[in-house]
Amino acid sequence: FIANSNYIGKRIKKIYNRDSVTIYPNVAIHNFEVCADKEDFYVTASRFVPYKKIDLVVQAFAQMPDKKLYVIGDGPGFKKIKKIATSNIILLGYQPFDVLKQYLSKAKAFVFAAEEDFGILPVEAQACGTPVIAFGKGGVTETVIENQTGVLFSEQTTTSIIDAVAYFEKNINLFDPHVIAQYASRFSTARFRQEIGDYL
């Protein structure tokens, strides 16, 4: 077995009682550039399905009216999320890659509340030098370094997100865009090809 994260490797062990090798998925790091000139907004992006927890992020920012959040994506939950969005939350719907990249690059931080097997978007955000504020479970615990490339919160609750954002803002000087982007480079396509080739 090849697992796409140690998190999934543990599931393979639990379900099949088999060992596995972790080879992280390739992320198109070469499509992103470091942006050190951040603007005063947060961004989240995803398909609007329940496990992605976009509604949770929106609910949290609805309680932080002084903080601007851009939400990129579409899906079955769009109408529900539109109803709970306050004036500081801008729903952009589906956007092409170039627009997504622009928001990922300029954001103060990328907010991510899902429990994912790996999670491509948090790595893409880091490739832009953008810190990640994420739920600390699943593959993201292997792609985000606490207090260096992002902040991990412990529960999928609005309170946990609000506390994480407050902590991030108090400690924003810990996050160097160039260090963050350099870390993200370890998930490159070249590395993936090498590791798959070596394994085979």
Side-chain angles (χ1 to χ4, degrees):
F1 286 94
I2 300 175
N4 65 349
S5 63
N6 295 330
Y7 173 65
I8 293 303
K10 287 175 186 173
R11 282 191 183 172
I12 290 169
K13 184 68 175 175
K14 180 181 176 182
I15 302 300
Y16 299 116
N17 195 28
R18 295 277 298 276
D19 293 329
S20 60
V21 169
T22 296
I23 298 179
Y24 293 117
N26 60 305
V27 181
I29 300 297
H30 57 278
N31 288 336
F32 299 89
E33 302 84 37
V34 186
C35 176
D37 184 23
K38 303 299 184 187
E39 296 181 11
D40 192 19
F41 68 84
Y42 293 85
V43 67
T44 190
S46 174
R47 182 145 172 78
F48 290 8
V49 291
Y51 89 93
K52 295 288 190 179
K53 304 289 184 187
I54 293 293
D55 56 333
L56 204 61
V57 178
V58 170
Q59 285 166 1
F61 275 82
Q63 295 177 49
M64 298 184 282
D66 58 323
K67 302 187 196 319
K68 185 181 284 188
L69 174 72
Y70 286 99
V71 184
I72 296 174
D74 202 350
F78 189 86
K79 285 183 181 176
K80 176 190 172 187
I81 288 164
K82 191 174 182 182
K83 280 182 184 176
I84 60 174
T86 47
S87 60
N88 60 312
I89 299 163
I90 300 96
L91 303 183
L92 297 173
Y94 169 80
Q95 294 295 330
F97 174 74
D98 286 349
V99 176
L100 172 65
K101 177 181 170 179
Q102 181 184 348
Y103 281 94
L104 287 179
S105 296
K106 291 289 187 180
K108 188 186 280 188
F110 176 74
V111 186
F112 188 76
E115 181 183 339
E116 289 277 13
D117 296 352
F118 175 75
I120 298 286
L121 264 167
V123 178
E124 291 180 335
Q126 290 175 88
C128 301
T130 300
V132 174
I133 300 172
F135 176 48
K137 193 171 180 187
V140 79
T141 62
E142 298 166 52
T143 62
V144 175
I145 304 174
E146 185 89 58
N147 291 326
Q148 187 173 330
T149 73
V151 173
L152 300 175
F153 54 90
S154 58
E155 297 175 337
Q156 285 175 313
T157 62
T158 54
T159 303
S160 207
I161 294 170
I162 290 165
D163 289 348
V165 170
Y167 176 85
F168 168 75
E169 294 206 340
K170 281 180 188 171
N171 297 279
I172 200 161
N173 292 334
L174 293 175
F175 306 100
D176 181 327
H178 296 283
V179 171
I180 294 169
Q182 181 61 40
Y183 174 73
S185 68
R186 70 184 59 195
F187 300 103
S188 70
T189 298
R191 182 272 322 161
F192 175 76
R193 287 179 183 275
Q194 180 71 44
E195 290 187 8
I196 286 285
D198 290 348
Y199 182 84
L200 293 175

